[in-house]
Amino acid sequence: MCGIVGYVGQRPCSELLLGGLERLEHRGYDSAGVALLAADSTALRVRAVGGIAQLRETLQRHPQRAALRTARTGIGHTRWATHGRVSEDNAHPLTDDRGRVQIVLNGIVENHAELRARLIAEGAAFASETDAEVVAHLVARALDHDGLAEAVRRSLATLRGHFAFVVASPEQPDTLVGTRRACPLVIGHGEGERYLGSALVGLPDALTGAQALDDDEVATLEADAVRVLDRGGRPARTRRLALGARIEQATLGTHESFTLAEIAEQPRALRRTLRAAPSGPGLDELPWVQLCAARRLTIVACGTSYHAGLVGRLLLERWAGLRVEVDIASEWRYRDPAIAPGDLVLGITQSGETADTIGALRTARASGANVLALTNVPGSQVTREASAVLLTDAGAEVGVAATKTFVTQVALLAALARQLGIARGTLPDAEAERLGDELQRLPAVAEAARAAAEQPIARAAERWGRAPFFLFLGRHVGLPVALEGALKLKEIAYIPSDAYAAGEMKHGPIALLGEGTPVVCVATQSPVLDKLRSNVAEVRARGAHVLAIATEGAAGVIADEADELVLVPPTDPLLSPIPAVVPLQLLAHAISSARGLDPDRPRNLAKTVTVE
Ligand code: M6R
């Protein structure tokens, strides 16, 4: 969370920084700011509450806009607030009380309270409520004895937490210094210019090269030189990043939002991801010997990726006979999961940057596990943590709500389960062939699901869009879909909703139901469809109104119990989450839109969650 950029070079850089921040805005949009070192070596800082559009307006009205436009060194930030409310005072860049340094930081300084108390006791005056401001004061104080890079390296030793930050100082106007610990920071090289950024996507297309920093390395950038030192102050060898590996930028087309465009794009995203099917992209590089011999696999993930992991468990258990555990990364990493050398741990993260998923994989690797990653972003942090990587090819997902990345994650997990089933001898040839055909049909199935859902979902949104609460129910393979539907409704339509295993409903949540409460049932084909039918009847008997997602040709009794029925095309039952999730994505979007909300940038959220 939070996006940071920095530039040093021959060109005026304010526009370059703003462009980079726009491309990183998915990391946070509470406030934004830049600090530019003007030709007379003064630092000009401009900050605004809101997104980059608000920052642009503020810059245009700024009394020193001419000086701002000519600066050739600068840093920028787009914020997702952690410590300190959303305000201009808390917006980055932050500075020390003598204005000696300007810093932008992504992440959290965990010992900020004790550092702040110590600095105040030494006479420092703080101007913000942020944790990050302590870094500005520490570096500024170290500048009394050292140059900027050494001042950063010394300060780093006193900081606890996970962060990446970039520092500029009017005392060294042709230099930028950046460092990171567990949050990403990359260096970009151009002709006579150098960049720092939270991700490659924040840097311009016309780079000649890029490098990734490792934990506690300190990079000093000048227009035509980069020097990287490790935590001991020795020259470090950084990893080169492949520039060709960037993913395509998204386009809105004729859609009213990126979220809707991305829902519509799911068939294409599936087709690209399954292009190399039946084996699927990345499958060839997997450690097949370990996978075949493994007794268990642990999947760790957050949010929507966790829901994909729940579907993956069913697929891998059924098709590959593998014992699978799935856990929320932020919980699993602090348990005692008894990981042993040789165990397999798979992290699923579309962004490849989620702090807790990366932290969990590091814990697994430290215990000797074989670490695998499934991500949508080549070159992202998770690809550097894992020994083998599975790549979805959903293209850039701009909407904060995950849509096309979810269906591609499920499809790739299915391709993995099928391939593993073949390798482990748990899938007979004929069944493997049938499932290969089903995988190939998924893009068409997803397309048909969208076409069939549009009208009934529009009716349902009209009818229930003002309801104060929704309950989502599912069983077996329908449960992760119900969880995902409730998450979408919460995050983009702000409607309180809960998702429950339908068989568990009578153990508590049924008390929530009253006359007219909307209940969304994921009732596609599954081994427990008959049981689910009874649960739907129980809901109806309490006066709830039922929106059922059912499989065409197998809607049966569900159709009689439903107030609104959405039919999705048939596929293998374990692949049904792909068509079944589409109506739920459309429902959340339709209600968000009817309420006049911005589905692409829901309040309080960010696309990339780099804080724990
Ligand atoms: O990048 P990741 O897949 O690791 O992100 C995990 C969650 O933050 C993410 O799925 C989040 O829940 C989405 N906003 C859901 O739509």
Side-chain angles (χ1 to χ4, degrees):
M1 284 161 156
C2 300
I4 58 181
V5 289
Y7 174 90
V8 56
Q10 319 288 351
R11 291 193 282 164
C13 66
S14 61
E15 195 45 50
L16 293 167
L17 293 174
L18 289 171
L21 290 177
E22 269 158 359
R23 291 190 295 276
L24 292 173
E25 206 172 6
H26 58 277
R27 301 175 79 96
Y29 33 81
D30 288 332
S31 63
V34 289
L36 294 149
L37 300 185
D40 63 357
S41 293
T42 53
L44 299 168
R45 183 168 62 142
V46 184
R47 301 177 295 171
V49 168
I52 313 306
Q54 283 71 36
L55 178 62
R56 270 188 192 284
E57 276 170 28
T58 313
L59 272 161
Q60 272 153 16
R61 290 195 312 266
H62 198 279
Q64 285 168 291
R65 55 189 172 276
L68 287 164
R69 275 198 213 107
T70 54
R72 287 171 165 75
T73 303
I75 56 178
H77 189 268
T78 180
R79 180 174 189 235
W80 185 83
T82 60
H83 295 64
R85 73 212 139 77
V86 176
S87 70
E88 195 179 318
D89 284 345
N90 290 334
H92 297 216
L94 297 160
T95 186
D96 61 294
D97 43 8
R98 288 174 290 167
R100 297 187 72 184
V101 299
Q102 300 281 337
I103 71 142
V104 287
L105 183 141
N106 159 218
I108 291 178
V109 179
E110 285 172 355
N111 57 337
H112 69 97
E114 70 189 64
L115 290 173
R116 179 183 278 248
R118 199 186 82 197
L119 285 158
I120 289 173
E122 289 170 7
F126 276 73
S128 79
E129 304 158 329
T130 65
D131 56 329
E133 191 183 335
V134 295
V135 181
H137 291 275
L138 286 172
V139 175
R141 277 172 159 59
L143 270 185
D144 288 340
H145 318 285
D146 297 308
L148 196 56
E150 186 55 21
V152 166
R153 203 174 67 81
R154 266 178 202 282
S155 308
L156 200 51
T158 62
L159 300 175
R160 283 203 313 272
H162 53 281
F163 43 73
F165 63 87
V166 179
V167 186
S169 169
E171 294 169 32
Q172 278 179 249
D174 302 324
T175 305
L176 280 187
V177 176
T179 188
R180 60 155 287 207
R181 185 182 296 158
C183 284
L185 190 64
V186 297
I187 302 169
H189 303 263
E191 291 301 335
E193 56 191 18
R194 300 288 184 268
Y195 297 84
L196 281 162
S198 295
L200 269 184
V201 71
L203 307 187
D205 288 334
L207 293 180
T208 55
Q211 291 162 266
L213 281 184
D214 274 330
D215 281 355
D216 285 13
E217 289 179 345
V218 176
T220 307
L221 278 68
E222 289 163 5
D224 43 22
V226 172
R227 195 159 49 98
V228 180
L229 300 180
D230 66 15
R231 58 167 68 90
R234 294 173 294 266
R237 288 189 55 185
T238 54
R239 281 165 296 114
R240 296 223 150 266
L241 290 175
L243 292 175
R246 297 207 240 188
I247 57 177
E248 73 173 43
Q249 290 299 296
T251 51
L252 195 54
T254 55
H255 297 281
E256 68 173 78
S257 70
F258 277 104
T259 307
L260 203 55
E262 286 158 5
I263 294 170
E265 205 203 318
Q266 292 183 115
R268 261 194 331 125
L270 284 165
R271 206 166 286 120
R272 285 198 305 262
T273 296
L274 292 167
R275 201 167 24 208
S279 52
L283 293 194
D284 293 344
E285 282 86 56
L286 290 183
W288 283 101
V289 175
Q290 286 102 320
L291 276 169
C292 289
R295 283 189 314 111
R296 70 166 179 168
L297 168 77
T298 302
I299 297 177
V300 289
C302 303
T304 291
S305 294
Y306 167 70
H307 299 156
L310 293 174
V311 182
R313 171 168 65 188
L314 292 159
L315 288 159
L316 287 156
E317 284 177 348
R318 177 64 57 89
W319 295 356
L322 191 61
R323 201 176 115 214
V324 181
E325 285 157 21
V326 190
D327 210 337
I328 295 166
S330 57
E331 290 296 318
W332 183 85
R333 60 185 294 211
Y334 298 112
R335 294 203 283 112
D336 296 305
I339 287 293
D343 280 355
L344 287 170
V345 178
L346 168 67
I348 306 178
T349 162
Q350 72 78 22
S351 63
E353 307 285 356
T354 298
D356 278 309
T357 306
I358 294 199
L361 294 185
R362 286 186 175 176
T363 303
R365 207 176 48 192
S367 309
N370 218 322
V371 168
L372 315 174
L374 192 160
T375 185
N376 191 46
V377 183
S380 58
Q381 185 62 29
V382 82
T383 65
R384 304 195 279 275
E385 305 284 344
S387 58
V389 179
L390 288 155
L391 279 177
T392 52
D393 191 357
E397 191 172 65
V398 174
V400 163
T403 53
K404 60 180 179 167
T405 53
F406 172 74
V407 295
T408 52
Q409 286 169 343
V410 170
L412 195 46
L413 287 165
L416 171 67
R418 175 183 171 276
Q419 203 65 18
L420 198 54
I422 296 170
R424 288 165 68 99
T426 49
L427 264 188
D429 290 351
E431 183 60 356
E433 197 177 326
R434 184 187 71 76
L435 293 174
D437 292 345
E438 289 295 337
L439 284 174
Q440 290 304 309
R441 286 182 55 244
L442 282 175
V445 165
E447 184 60 60
R450 185 171 74 99
E454 269 170 356
Q455 286 190 3
I457 287 300
R459 281 196 300 272
E462 170 78 32
R463 182 169 178 184
W464 293 307
R466 280 166 297 280
F469 169 73
F470 273 67
L471 182 65
F472 288 71
L473 295 177
R475 290 183 85 128
H476 196 262
V477 73
L479 178 58
V481 183
L483 289 163
E484 179 59 9
L487 178 60
K488 294 289 91 102
L489 196 62
K490 281 181 256 203
E491 69 179 334
I492 67 172
Y494 310 158
I495 298 196
S497 42
D498 201 356
Y500 239 77
E504 191 65 10
M505 174 195 59
K506 53 185 143 320
H507 300 286
I510 198 164
L512 291 168
L513 302 182
E515 199 57 47
T517 307
V519 176
V520 180
C521 294
V522 182
T524 46
Q525 271 177 299
S526 87
V528 291
L529 187 55
D530 287 342
K531 308 271 178 218
L532 183 71
R533 281 183 189 134
S534 310
N535 302 141
V536 175
E538 291 154 14
V539 161
R540 275 297 288 272
R542 268 91 194 160
H545 286 173
V546 173
L547 166 66
I549 315 295
T551 307
E552 217 176 280
V557 180
I558 296 284
D560 299 335
E561 297 287 357
D563 295 274
E564 192 67 65
L565 183 68
V566 183
L567 293 175
V568 296
T571 178
D572 182 88
L574 290 191
L575 296 174
S576 66
I578 289 178
V581 79
V582 177
L584 305 190
Q585 297 166 338
L586 290 172
L587 178 70
H589 189 277
I591 296 178
S592 167
S593 184
R595 297 178 127 209
L597 303 172
D598 177 355
D600 292 340
R601 300 207 327 182
R603 68 183 176 209
N604 305 335
L605 289 172
K607 184 77 187 160
T608 308
V609 184
T610 54
V611 293
E612 297 177 359

